[in-house]
Amino acid sequence: METVLSGIRSTGNLHLGNYYGAVRNFVKMQEEYRCFFFIADLHSLTTHPKPENLHDNIRKVLSEYIACGIDPDRATIYIQSDVPEISELYLLLNMNAYVGELERTTTFKEKVRKQPENVNAGLLTYPVLMSADIIIHNADKVPVGKDQEQNLEMARKFARRFNHIYHVDYFTLPEPFNFGSELIKVPGLDGTGKMGKSEGNGLYLIDEPKEIRKKVMKAVTDAGPDKPNAPKPEPVENLFYLLRLMSDVSTVAHFEEAYNNCTIRYGDLKKQLAEDIILFTTPVRERILEIYNDDEYLSRVVRNGAEKARESASKTLRDVREIIGYKGF
Ligand code: TYM
């Protein structure tokens, strides 16, 4: 049976981009594959969270995973820092990862541009840690959004390089995955770019209805089409993208037609979009709160997850140490 793995950083609550780009696939894949889904709390350290917040950040994402439908009895759900084998594999992989290639990754260059005051070595080697996450379970498929494509390429590169250096065919080369189609990028509400945790343009699963209405009503648009069948500018296309995700086909067709014959009122579209988002998020939000408050359940999930993940990870690490040449005395 093929192995699936994916993770989400515990730097904030889950937004619709995380859900549609990644978590929705996790839920479907757990039916058919051997699945590992984890919370990337080591990766979250690149943003320097305060010790008093770290644990709660993890607890939130864990509750959100389960509320979205990831079933701890089917998939292995665990916390990255509970599996020290990952950190050791990361160290070993770092020896064959070159500073030049790491500096050239788009996400690193972006961070350097956006936060020149905090260009830490963890950011530089971020793709190496991600590779360790993936190959420690020899994952075949990695459900992720479009923004992770380059990191997946790096994971394949490091896996291939390890095999090459040690003349083995040990690591599987992992493939990014999205059910039935290409990887996706869910746009934000600010007119350009993707929905993201650090972009401040997200709609979160935990958002209250009034918050969702407020955010959607404030979304960037334009003055409206000035001729029939005009192409949509990016902010408008983004709203339609969200509408296609959240609303039924007849609603989408209605607003497409209104756009094409220049009778569209963005206010109406936004109201409908907000209500359709609320319809989806309300039961999820209720489940999140229920799970978040269930100490006993969460600690059982985390303990079981760590045990299963370590069983798989320690086997890989034993093999890797042997391949590299470590021997017992
Ligand atoms: P993170 O926490 O930023 O995002 C988690 C997942 O959500 C996807 N995603 C999106 N998909 C579509 N549209 C969007 N606007 C959008 N925003 C986020 C991401 O592509 C991702 O799949 N480095 C990773 C976490 C990670 C990981 C791994 C993932 C650590 N190790 C190993 C896979 C395998 C990250 O920061 O994702």
Side-chain angles (χ1 to χ4, degrees), residues 10 12-13 39 41 53-67 79 288-299 302:
S10 50
N13 292 98
I39 293 158
D41 62 337
N53 297 334
L54 188 77
H55 178 76
D56 195 52
N57 293 346
I58 298 167
R59 188 182 178 116
K60 281 182 192 156
V61 178
L62 176 65
S63 311
E64 291 175 336
Y65 261 6
I66 302 169
I79 296 163
I288 295 172
L289 296 174
E290 224 171 88
I291 296 164
Y292 178 85
N293 289 312
D294 194 338
D295 285 337
E296 208 184 300
Y297 175 67
L298 288 179
S299 81
V302 168

Side-chain angles (χ1 to χ4, degrees), residues 103-174:
E103 279 174 342
R104 280 193 299 277
T105 56
T106 321
T107 35
F108 180 71
K109 286 198 286 199
E110 221 171 79
K111 293 283 178 198
V112 173
R113 198 167 43 78
K114 282 195 188 153
Q115 47 173 71
E117 73 295 347
N118 180 23
V119 185
N120 58 66
L123 279 176
L124 182 70
T125 56
Y126 191 106
V128 187
L129 179 54
M130 212 170 133
S131 306
D133 290 328
I134 298 170
I135 67 180
I136 195 104
H137 301 299
N138 249 316
D140 300 276
K141 290 188 162 60
V142 186
V144 283
K146 182 89 182 150
D147 58 322
Q148 297 298 324
E149 205 165 30
Q150 194 179 24
N151 283 334
L152 257 293
E153 256 169 51
M154 305 283 279
R156 276 201 301 282
K157 187 192 268 186
F158 295 137
R160 197 183 295 114
R161 192 174 290 166
F162 181 93
N163 289 347
H164 180 74
I165 292 173
Y166 296 106
H167 308 291
V168 288
D169 188 16
Y170 185 73
F171 284 123
T172 309
L173 306 189

Side-chain angles (χ1 to χ4, degrees), residues 5-12 14-23 26 38-41 43 65 80 126 129-134 142-149 151-152 183-188 193-197 201 241:
L5 171 137
S6 199
I8 294 195
R9 257 175 313 146
S10 50
T11 24
L14 295 195
H15 51 65
L16 291 178
N18 298 134
Y19 179 77
Y20 284 100
V23 180
F26 300 179
F38 73 98
I39 293 158
D41 62 337
H43 279 108
Y65 261 6
Q80 189 184 29
Y126 191 106
L129 179 54
M130 212 170 133
S131 306
D133 290 328
I134 298 170
V142 186
V144 283
K146 182 89 182 150
D147 58 322
Q148 297 298 324
E149 205 165 30
N151 283 334
L152 257 293
L183 303 188
I184 66 165
K185 177 177 99 176
V186 177
K194 65 158 188 164
M195 188 176 289
K197 287 174 198 154
N201 62 4
Y241 190 107

